[in-house]
Amino acid sequence: MKVGVLTGGGDCPGLNAVIRAVVRKGEQEYGCGFVGFKDGWRGAVEGRTVPLDIPAVRGILPRGGTILGSSRTNPFKTENGVRDIKENLAKYEVDALIAIGGEDTLGVAARLHAEYGIPCVGVPKTIDNDLSATDYTFGFDTAVGIATEAIDRLHTTAESHMRVLVVEVMGRHAGWIALHSGLAGGANVILIPEQRFDVDQVCAWVTSRFKASYAPIVVVAEGAMPKDGDMVLKDGTKDSFGHVRLSGVGEWLAKEIEARTGKEARTTVLGHIQRGGTPSAFDRWLATRFGLHAIDAVHDRDFGKMVALKGTDIVRVPIADATAKLKTVDPALYKEVGVFFG
Amino acid sequence: MKVGVLTGGGDCPGLNAVIRAVVRKGEQEYGCGFVGFKDGWRGAVEGRTVPLDIPAVRGILPRGGTILGSSRTNPFKTENGVRDIKENLAKYEVDALIAIGGEDTLGVAARLHAEYGIPCVGVPKTIDNDLSATDYTFGFDTAVGIATEAIDRLHTTAESHMRVLVVEVMGRHAGWIALHSGLAGGANVILIPEQRFDVDQVCAWVTSRFKASYAPIVVVAEGAMPKDGDMVLKDGTKDSFGHVRLSGVGEWLAKEIEARTGKEARTTVLGHIQRGGTPSAFDRWLATRFGLHAIDAVHDRDFGKMVALKGTDIVRVPIADATAKLKTVDPALYKEVGVFFG
Amino acid sequence: MKVGVLTGGGDCPGLNAVIRAVVRKGEQEYGCGFVGFKDGWRGAVEGRTVPLDIPAVRGILPRGGTILGSSRTNPFKTENGVRDIKENLAKYEVDALIAIGGEDTLGVAARLHAEYGIPCVGVPKTIDNDLSATDYTFGFDTAVGIATEAIDRLHTTAESHMRVLVVEVMGRHAGWIALHSGLAGGANVILIPEQRFDVDQVCAWVTSRFKASYAPIVVVAEGAMPKDGDMVLKDGTKDSFGHVRLSGVGEWLAKEIEARTGKEARTTVLGHIQRGGTPSAFDRWLATRFGLHAIDAVHDRDFGKMVALKGTDIVRVPIADATAKLKTVDPALYKEVGVFFG
Amino acid sequence: MKVGVLTGGGDCPGLNAVIRAVVRKGEQEYGCGFVGFKDGWRGAVEGRTVPLDIPAVRGILPRGGTILGSSRTNPFKTENGVRDIKENLAKYEVDALIAIGGEDTLGVAARLHAEYGIPCVGVPKTIDNDLSATDYTFGFDTAVGIATEAIDRLHTTAESHMRVLVVEVMGRHAGWIALHSGLAGGANVILIPEQRFDVDQVCAWVTSRFKASYAPIVVVAEGAMPKDGDMVLKDGTKDSFGHVRLSGVGEWLAKEIEARTGKEARTTVLGHIQRGGTPSAFDRWLATRFGLHAIDAVHDRDFGKMVALKGTDIVRVPIADATAKLKTVDPALYKEVGVFFG
């Protein structure tokens, strides 16, 4: 059996761990051969490949990024994209395709399987943790760990000076990274895209925090939005949900807090460091098990499925289940965590 | 309502996070007062307490250890232990008791509730992850992370020299830390207490690894045991399971490998560094949520229960469920991971 | 002998290590008593103190921040500031004063000693490493380590995507953090305040880097400035050197690179995480030795001096030597490092 | 000019950073070609080489180990070793040789230059920091950082339980790692090879520490030795200094402390994790600058020299200066640090 593998979308620690597990088990247990498609769906469309066997995956477990490269190419939006993929799968004699990616990449895999009968297995990937049908995705734990360590460091400044510290973390449509890192880091305010925030409420928490102990730390997801009246839009543009998004919400919020409370505020924008570097042990474990189970699904010819985490088990679900609906933060959970605000 | 809190058994990152969450929510939302019993059940027996309120728990979230201290005292093995506890609960006007601990500590709580009607809520704690009825316990992720980082570091030595590197990690009766850190660290052999190992098989993996790439890394749980014929017992003593345990299995195994393969071998014994220091973000999240739900259970007067993780939810289970049976590594999971051996 | 201690200026990992060493040796070896002045010179002016003895400094070695608090108060710019300090030193029977701080704090100490005969000993502190008369200051190694780790993480994104990654690090007037972290992190361009940069040269490096291997990483000190013609000033304000400073140079540069090269660019602004958290082992060693030698200088009544690092030795130099002139990056050193650009 | 490069002796973080800097500057600025000799002097004797140019050194800066491999082969103890080296240098048309290593490797380079006129330049390397003529060697800061982090973690266990924690760190003949990490980690006892220790004194410190605050942490260098009367030798063997060395001093000491004080004691043996993994920013800076200056020395045909750190400068010294005498801990420095014992 010859298996194609590709990784799509944004960088995410654990991609290499998946690839390694797929190849290691596939070659060793099932006698599979492999073709790596370069830069996600683009490589499948353009027929660009990289050799993939056990020697090629040695030593990649702890490395961030992906040895296959990635892109955001969507074959359904590329002229003759699907036709070219089919031709390339035939040319390289690929019997099955493992697509590792997020909403977009998996959405393509689901359609290729459903509409064109291409034998696909999906592996969910997003540092944002916003895919349905799986408890967690790999990369998320690493991102939360990096953000938490940054927040930890800010506490000493907050203790020694009287400054509000605003940390902007990733999360355009879902606040998981903000919620987990904010709780783990002992932040005093956590703002997520799922709930528009009230700047006056934020300022009230900031003020009460100064009275109770020392300077507050505010964690804000990049996609968090103030209530309409609070905001003078400067460079907001409509996002894919039709919302006007605020660019640089962290910087904007710091200025608002300074203006409304009279306290100095400073911003940290973690940016891409949240999605780079070596994966955490949790993510390596999860990514490796996803890889082992993905090649099992291929071996079982159980196509159109995606591997997913349920408790401590890896299960298979229809790919379409993962992409049907964004997994956002439940209001009840946000309320649970809110006991630490202020 | 006045709530007693105690922590028992071995050190575990996340204990302080539980205490903080219990006190923060209890005082703020439910108007509870608190009494901290010093050094686990010993403090409850001897009536030694520490003050516990919101100011007392400020800043403890990222700190390892426990501000309440700990011990292995078992009131059922202490003269008049239970009687003294009852007197002290009355004396301090304690309406409910939150016991944070492992098998022993929770076992006491279960009996105090079942046999004496003492209103107890349990919070599971063990870095070994060997408690039933919960997907994970806090402290485990931190321990796995520390061991994985150590294994990562050994790879560069393994690549540059031709030495077998043996790492002894915690795990007397369950191999979870060895399994997770060994997989995440890319170890070539993982030995766990659940399955007696064959030294010749280990040596065969070691030898084949040298041929395939570079020097092998062997992760061995402290409770792992060779098959009977393999071992000349020097200072083994019978453990609580009636097994003869090998003291210093890592050092012993390194010597056997040297003798049988002719390759140099070196040992690292991580010891207590696995259970100290700041908890990982995952463990802070889990411990905090356990704390929030434990005080909810107290508020609901739902005694005899323990909080537990099921998927991404915190649920309540009878305390006795957790202590009924050690949660050991499933042979199927060990086999799944075994694809990376050798 | 009664010794006053204060910490001034910005947060810096290692401050607590100095305080602990001063108190531990002073009390134990020389029988000194201590008074901590709260929030730098402000506490000395206002007579606000904190108790300081061996129990008070237990456990603070690994903690960032300062148990004494800090401020930027300058008694020479405060009405009756010097008179109030003299009165408070008399009131608290202080025989000598240890001032731990940067250019401003030490400048005050130098004048108080020279002009008013107040017996001061200085300990140099700045994460920017821009104080003359000492090889290094504590805090700098920690800041460089944090920035380097961030750059390390960005490499995996740079490898997997085709994006320019700009990292803005601390350094208003001196480029030491940018230079050390940029070199240690394998950055492809390093921009420092000491030399105005040419945006076209930066873009040329960026472009050549894309051809040679993968996406480039640009490290820019917050105080770095483009050549005059390159810049359209938006919110620049004159700094203390009379220069117009660019606010948000990282964000600005990313936009320029996008506009001129057509490549996507992303920015990370590390901000205060560089000056928080636990000090590195190097900084703890240096800060502790500074503390031990500072109390020795007090014991020797060798006032008006500052402890300094020369090679592996701690020496004493006139405080004024440290503040006479900013220690900036030598052009020869910048050129040496430049071999890695592009 | 064609330059041979080799790395000898034990693993040390920073070796790859040196190699990268040598090749990058040599090829780019001086037009040099390179030959890498595999596994230290062994490769030079046996004529085994690896290709070495700018693409070969991309991405190796943050990696521990050495891409050239290493060994402890001494050509002067190998039959026809020197003759073979001369032949291989001629065969590969090598004009100069850069030897990166410790006492043994550099000793060979010094003799090859002095006795056979082979044009050698040395780069000092030892995690033990025991080479004379340089303030520090790269790898040492990384090792100290790893040991310090381990000690940090043990504090929480020491605070929560009443156990003596013994940490054995590297250092056969010099106590630098023990001294720096012990001080930085806040250990209560530090034992080094330079001064035989008195077990009763250690026990007295342990006992007084328990009284003053919480459980003590004892850092012991692997080469530390008790006074003669204290020791019952079990498996000691004479080392190269003619001393009987105690194998497993950490474990031995823990048992003695238990026997003499009645307190439980636990041991951690860090072993090879101290010499693996990514180098610290400090070590990358130092190693890179060593590499840049080593190729400068080759370009200047300044042979028989070694690069060395003096303050913040890189200087050249005769190779023989580095190997003449082991750099051990000065008794005055040990005394300075001793203020924290007990």
Side-chain angles (χ1 to χ4, degrees):
Chain A
M1 209 167 177
K2 188 96 163 281
V3 184
V5 183
L6 62 84
T7 54
D11 201 19
C12 187
L15 287 166
N16 283 326
V18 178
I19 298 167
R20 168 182 174 265
V22 162
V23 171
R24 184 79 185 250
K25 184 164 192 182
E27 190 174 321
Q28 193 170 300
E29 306 267 301
Y30 300 136
C32 299
F34 289 92
V35 177
F37 287 106
K38 184 119 192 68
D39 295 338
W41 291 114
R42 191 195 298 160
V45 170
E46 299 176 3
R48 290 185 304 113
T49 65
V50 287
L52 201 54
D53 55 12
I54 288 181
V57 299
R58 264 200 215 294
I60 67 173
L61 169 64
R63 296 208 193 134
T66 159
I67 58 166
L68 299 178
S70 186
S71 74
R72 297 195 183 275
T73 298
N74 184 335
F76 290 101
K77 296 177 181 164
T78 309
E79 206 182 336
N80 297 323
V82 175
R83 191 200 65 188
D84 290 348
I85 286 179
K86 290 180 73 173
E87 282 180 14
N88 283 318
L89 294 181
K91 179 179 164 195
Y92 291 102
E93 302 178 321
V94 168
D95 301 304
L97 198 54
I98 295 178
I100 311 164
E103 213 186 346
D104 295 337
T105 305
L106 295 176
V108 170
R111 286 189 61 189
L112 288 178
H113 177 258
E115 300 173 17
Y116 299 88
I118 294 177
C120 291
V121 166
V123 177
K125 174 235 68 160
T126 150
I127 65 156
D128 291 335
N129 196 39
D130 57 3
L131 276 175
S132 291
T134 183
D135 283 358
Y136 291 106
T137 44
F138 62 86
F140 171 65
D141 183 68
T142 304
V144 169
I146 293 167
T148 301
E149 198 186 311
I151 300 168
D152 277 357
R153 291 198 172 277
L154 294 177
H155 276 283
T156 54
T157 289
E159 285 171 41
S160 306
H161 296 277
M162 285 293 107
R163 277 174 185 163
V164 183
L165 296 162
V166 177
V167 192
E168 184 183 308
V169 300
M170 284 191 162
R172 294 218 166 173
H173 307 301
W176 293 109
I177 293 178
L179 194 75
H180 277 245
S181 67
L183 185 78
N188 311 106
V189 182
I190 300 172
L191 305 174
I192 61 175
E194 289 86 346
Q195 299 205 10
R196 294 208 161 211
F197 61 86
D198 176 338
V199 181
D200 284 330
Q201 171 66 71
V202 171
C203 291
W205 279 324
V206 159
T207 304
S208 78
R209 172 71 180 176
F210 270 112
K211 280 178 196 151
S213 51
Y214 55 81
I217 292 173
V218 177
V219 173
V220 56
E222 59 182 328
M225 293 272 293
K227 292 192 173 164
D228 285 332
D230 278 334
M231 181 174 45
V232 180
L233 270 183
K234 271 174 279 185
D235 54 355
T237 49
K238 291 208 176 182
D239 69 9
S240 59
F241 287 69
H243 298 147
V244 177
R245 226 174 60 77
L246 190 67
S247 157
V249 63
E251 192 65 37
W252 179 85
L253 182 59
K255 282 176 187 159
E256 287 297 309
I257 292 172
E258 287 199 341
R260 298 187 193 196
T261 68
K263 301 285 183 186
E264 266 191 284
R266 292 284 182 280
T267 314
T268 287
V269 182
L270 290 179
H272 276 55
I273 65 169
Q274 290 163 92
R275 60 192 327 142
T278 194
S280 70
F282 181 96
D283 282 336
R284 296 187 199 177
W285 172 263
L286 180 57
T288 296
R289 294 196 71 207
F290 273 173
L292 297 176
H293 284 256
I295 193 70
D296 286 350
V298 166
H299 181 70
D300 295 345
R301 314 192 73 79
D302 190 8
F303 299 117
K305 295 290 174 57
M306 181 189 87
V307 293
L309 179 69
K310 288 285 171 200
T312 59
D313 294 325
I314 310 296
V315 300
R316 296 177 196 164
V317 299
I319 300 181
D321 286 11
T323 58
K325 188 172 154 293
L326 206 68
K327 184 177 71 179
T328 53
V329 174
D330 182 340
L333 183 60
Y334 187 62
K335 185 158 179 288
E336 182 181 322
V337 164
V339 70
F340 296 105
F341 293 2
Chain B
M1 210 169 176
K2 186 96 163 281
V3 184
V5 183
L6 62 83
T7 55
D11 202 17
C12 187
L15 287 167
N16 283 327
V18 177
I19 298 166
R20 167 181 174 266
V22 162
V23 172
R24 184 78 184 251
K25 184 164 193 183
E27 191 173 319
Q28 194 169 299
E29 306 268 300
Y30 300 135
C32 299
F34 289 92
V35 177
F37 287 106
K38 184 118 193 69
D39 296 337
W41 292 114
R42 192 195 297 160
V45 170
E46 300 176 1
R48 289 186 304 114
T49 66
V50 287
L52 201 55
D53 54 13
I54 288 181
V57 299
R58 264 200 214 294
I60 68 173
L61 169 65
R63 298 210 190 130
T66 159
I67 59 165
L68 298 179
S70 185
S71 73
R72 297 195 183 276
T73 298
N74 184 334
F76 289 101
K77 295 177 181 164
T78 309
E79 207 182 333
N80 297 323
V82 176
R83 191 198 65 188
D84 290 348
I85 286 178
K86 292 180 72 172
E87 283 180 11
N88 284 317
L89 295 181
K91 178 179 164 195
Y92 292 101
E93 302 179 322
V94 168
D95 302 303
L97 197 54
I98 295 179
I100 311 164
E103 214 187 346
D104 295 338
T105 305
L106 295 175
V108 169
R111 285 188 63 189
L112 288 178
H113 177 257
E115 300 174 17
Y116 298 88
I118 294 177
C120 290
V121 166
V123 177
K125 175 236 67 163
T126 149
I127 64 156
D128 291 335
N129 196 38
D130 57 3
L131 275 175
S132 292
T134 185
D135 283 358
Y136 291 105
T137 44
F138 62 86
F140 171 65
D141 183 68
T142 304
V144 169
I146 294 167
T148 300
E149 197 187 312
I151 299 168
D152 276 359
R153 291 197 172 275
L154 294 177
H155 275 282
T156 53
T157 291
E159 285 171 39
S160 305
H161 296 279
M162 285 292 108
R163 276 173 186 163
V164 184
L165 296 163
V166 176
V167 191
E168 184 182 309
V169 299
M170 284 191 162
R172 296 218 164 172
H173 307 303
W176 292 109
I177 292 178
L179 195 75
H180 277 245
S181 67
L183 186 79
N188 312 107
V189 182
I190 300 170
L191 305 173
I192 60 175
E194 287 87 344
Q195 298 205 12
R196 294 208 161 211
F197 61 85
D198 176 338
V199 180
D200 285 330
Q201 172 65 72
V202 171
C203 290
W205 280 324
V206 160
T207 304
S208 78
R209 171 72 182 176
F210 271 112
K211 280 178 197 150
S213 51
Y214 55 79
I217 293 172
V218 178
V219 172
V220 55
E222 60 183 327
M225 293 272 293
K227 293 193 173 163
D228 285 332
D230 277 335
M231 182 174 45
V232 181
L233 271 182
K234 271 176 279 185
D235 54 356
T237 49
K238 291 209 177 182
D239 70 8
S240 59
F241 287 68
H243 299 145
V244 176
R245 228 174 57 81
L246 191 65
S247 156
V249 63
E251 192 66 36
W252 178 85
L253 182 59
K255 282 176 187 159
E256 286 298 309
I257 291 172
E258 288 200 340
R260 297 188 193 195
T261 68
K263 302 283 184 188
E264 265 190 286
R266 291 284 182 280
T267 314
T268 288
V269 181
L270 291 179
H272 276 55
I273 64 170
Q274 290 163 93
R275 61 192 325 144
T278 193
S280 70
F282 181 96
D283 282 337
R284 296 186 199 178
W285 172 263
L286 180 57
T288 297
R289 294 195 72 207
F290 273 174
L292 297 176
H293 284 255
I295 193 70
D296 285 350
V298 166
H299 181 71
D300 295 345
R301 313 194 73 79
D302 190 8
F303 299 116
K305 295 290 174 57
M306 181 188 88
V307 292
L309 179 69
K310 288 288 171 199
T312 59
D313 294 325
I314 310 296
V315 299
R316 297 177 196 165
V317 298
I319 301 180
D321 285 11
T323 58
K325 190 173 153 292
L326 206 67
K327 184 176 71 179
T328 53
V329 174
D330 182 340
L333 182 60
Y334 188 61
K335 187 159 177 288
E336 182 182 320
V337 164
V339 71
F340 296 105
F341 292 3
Chain C
M1 210 167 177
K2 188 97 163 282
V3 183
V5 183
L6 62 82
T7 55
D11 203 16
C12 186
L15 287 167
N16 283 327
V18 177
I19 298 166
R20 168 182 174 265
V22 161
V23 172
R24 184 76 184 253
K25 183 164 191 182
E27 190 172 322
Q28 195 169 298
E29 305 268 300
Y30 301 135
C32 299
F34 289 92
V35 178
F37 286 105
K38 186 124 191 61
D39 296 337
W41 292 115
R42 193 196 297 160
V45 170
E46 300 175 3
R48 289 185 306 113
T49 66
V50 287
L52 200 56
D53 54 14
I54 288 182
V57 299
R58 266 201 213 292
I60 68 172
L61 169 64
R63 298 209 191 131
T66 160
I67 58 166
L68 298 178
S70 186
S71 74
R72 297 194 185 276
T73 298
N74 184 336
F76 289 100
K77 296 176 181 166
T78 310
E79 206 182 334
N80 297 323
V82 176
R83 191 199 66 188
D84 290 350
I85 287 178
K86 290 180 74 173
E87 283 179 13
N88 284 316
L89 294 182
K91 178 178 164 195
Y92 291 102
E93 302 179 324
V94 169
D95 302 303
L97 197 54
I98 294 179
I100 312 166
E103 213 186 345
D104 295 338
T105 306
L106 294 177
V108 169
R111 284 187 65 187
L112 288 178
H113 177 256
E115 300 173 16
Y116 299 87
I118 294 176
C120 291
V121 165
V123 177
K125 175 236 68 162
T126 152
I127 65 156
D128 292 333
N129 197 38
D130 57 4
L131 274 175
S132 292
T134 184
D135 283 358
Y136 291 105
T137 44
F138 61 87
F140 172 65
D141 184 68
T142 303
V144 169
I146 293 166
T148 300
E149 198 186 312
I151 300 168
D152 277 358
R153 292 198 171 274
L154 295 177
H155 276 282
T156 55
T157 291
E159 285 171 40
S160 306
H161 296 279
M162 286 292 106
R163 275 175 187 161
V164 184
L165 297 163
V166 177
V167 192
E168 184 183 308
V169 299
M170 284 190 162
R172 296 218 164 172
H173 307 302
W176 293 109
I177 292 178
L179 193 76
H180 277 245
S181 67
L183 185 80
N188 311 108
V189 182
I190 300 170
L191 305 174
I192 61 176
E194 289 86 344
Q195 299 205 9
R196 295 208 160 211
F197 61 85
D198 175 339
V199 180
D200 284 329
Q201 171 65 70
V202 171
C203 290
W205 280 325
V206 159
T207 305
S208 78
R209 173 70 181 176
F210 270 112
K211 281 179 196 150
S213 52
Y214 56 81
I217 292 173
V218 178
V219 172
V220 54
E222 61 182 327
M225 294 272 294
K227 292 193 172 163
D228 285 331
D230 278 335
M231 180 176 46
V232 181
L233 271 182
K234 270 175 281 188
D235 54 356
T237 49
K238 290 211 177 181
D239 69 9
S240 58
F241 287 70
H243 299 145
V244 177
R245 229 173 58 79
L246 190 67
S247 158
V249 63
E251 193 63 39
W252 179 85
L253 182 59
K255 282 176 187 160
E256 287 297 308
I257 292 171
E258 288 199 340
R260 300 188 193 196
T261 67
K263 302 285 184 186
E264 265 190 286
R266 290 284 183 280
T267 314
T268 288
V269 181
L270 292 178
H272 276 55
I273 65 169
Q274 292 163 90
R275 60 191 328 141
T278 194
S280 70
F282 181 96
D283 281 337
R284 296 187 200 177
W285 171 263
L286 181 56
T288 298
R289 293 196 72 206
F290 273 174
L292 296 177
H293 284 255
I295 193 70
D296 286 349
V298 165
H299 181 70
D300 295 346
R301 315 193 72 82
D302 190 9
F303 299 116
K305 295 290 174 58
M306 181 189 88
V307 293
L309 179 69
K310 288 286 170 199
T312 59
D313 294 324
I314 310 296
V315 299
R316 295 178 196 163
V317 298
I319 300 181
D321 286 10
T323 58
K325 189 172 154 292
L326 206 67
K327 184 177 71 180
T328 54
V329 174
D330 182 340
L333 183 60
Y334 187 61
K335 185 157 178 289
E336 181 182 321
V337 164
V339 70
F340 295 105
F341 292 3
Chain D
M1 210 167 177
K2 188 96 163 282
V3 183
V5 182
L6 62 82
T7 54
D11 202 16
C12 186
L15 287 167
N16 283 327
V18 178
I19 298 167
R20 168 181 174 266
V22 161
V23 171
R24 184 78 185 251
K25 183 163 193 183
E27 191 174 319
Q28 193 169 300
E29 305 268 301
Y30 301 135
C32 299
F34 289 93
V35 178
F37 288 105
K38 185 125 191 64
D39 296 338
W41 292 114
R42 193 196 296 160
V45 169
E46 299 176 2
R48 290 185 305 113
T49 66
V50 287
L52 200 56
D53 55 13
I54 287 179
V57 299
R58 266 201 214 292
I60 67 173
L61 169 64
R63 297 209 190 130
T66 160
I67 60 165
L68 299 179
S70 186
S71 74
R72 297 195 183 275
T73 297
N74 184 335
F76 290 102
K77 294 177 181 167
T78 310
E79 207 182 334
N80 297 323
V82 176
R83 193 199 63 188
D84 290 349
I85 286 178
K86 291 179 72 172
E87 282 180 14
N88 283 318
L89 295 182
K91 180 178 166 195
Y92 291 101
E93 302 179 323
V94 169
D95 301 305
L97 198 54
I98 295 178
I100 311 164
E103 212 187 347
D104 295 338
T105 305
L106 295 176
V108 169
R111 284 189 63 189
L112 287 178
H113 177 259
E115 300 173 16
Y116 297 89
I118 294 176
C120 291
V121 165
V123 177
K125 176 236 67 162
T126 151
I127 64 156
D128 291 334
N129 196 38
D130 58 3
L131 275 175
S132 293
T134 185
D135 282 359
Y136 291 106
T137 45
F138 61 86
F140 171 65
D141 184 68
T142 304
V144 169
I146 294 166
T148 300
E149 198 187 311
I151 300 168
D152 277 358
R153 291 198 172 276
L154 296 177
H155 276 282
T156 54
T157 290
E159 285 172 40
S160 305
H161 296 280
M162 287 292 108
R163 276 174 187 163
V164 183
L165 296 163
V166 177
V167 191
E168 185 182 307
V169 299
M170 284 193 163
R172 296 218 165 171
H173 308 303
W176 293 108
I177 293 177
L179 194 74
H180 278 245
S181 67
L183 185 78
N188 312 108
V189 183
I190 301 171
L191 305 174
I192 60 175
E194 288 86 344
Q195 299 205 9
R196 296 208 159 211
F197 61 84
D198 176 338
V199 181
D200 285 328
Q201 171 67 68
V202 171
C203 291
W205 280 324
V206 160
T207 305
S208 78
R209 172 72 181 176
F210 271 112
K211 280 179 196 149
S213 51
Y214 56 81
I217 293 173
V218 178
V219 173
V220 55
E222 61 182 328
M225 294 272 292
K227 292 194 173 164
D228 286 331
D230 278 334
M231 180 175 47
V232 181
L233 272 182
K234 270 175 279 186
D235 53 357
T237 49
K238 291 210 176 180
D239 70 10
S240 60
F241 287 69
H243 300 146
V244 177
R245 228 174 58 79
L246 189 68
S247 157
V249 62
E251 193 64 39
W252 179 85
L253 182 60
K255 282 176 186 159
E256 288 297 310
I257 292 171
E258 288 200 338
R260 298 187 193 197
T261 67
K263 302 285 184 186
E264 265 191 285
R266 291 285 183 278
T267 313
T268 288
V269 181
L270 291 178
H272 276 55
I273 64 170
Q274 292 163 90
R275 60 190 330 140
T278 195
S280 70
F282 181 96
D283 282 338
R284 296 186 199 178
W285 171 263
L286 180 58
T288 297
R289 293 196 72 207
F290 273 173
L292 297 177
H293 284 256
I295 193 69
D296 285 349
V298 165
H299 181 70
D300 295 344
R301 314 194 73 80
D302 190 9
F303 299 116
K305 296 291 173 57
M306 182 188 88
V307 293
L309 178 70
K310 288 287 171 198
T312 60
D313 295 323
I314 311 295
V315 298
R316 297 177 196 163
V317 297
I319 302 180
D321 286 10
T323 58
K325 189 172 154 292
L326 207 67
K327 184 176 70 180
T328 52
V329 174
D330 183 339
L333 183 61
Y334 187 61
K335 186 158 178 287
E336 181 182 322
V337 164
V339 70
F340 296 105
F341 293 2

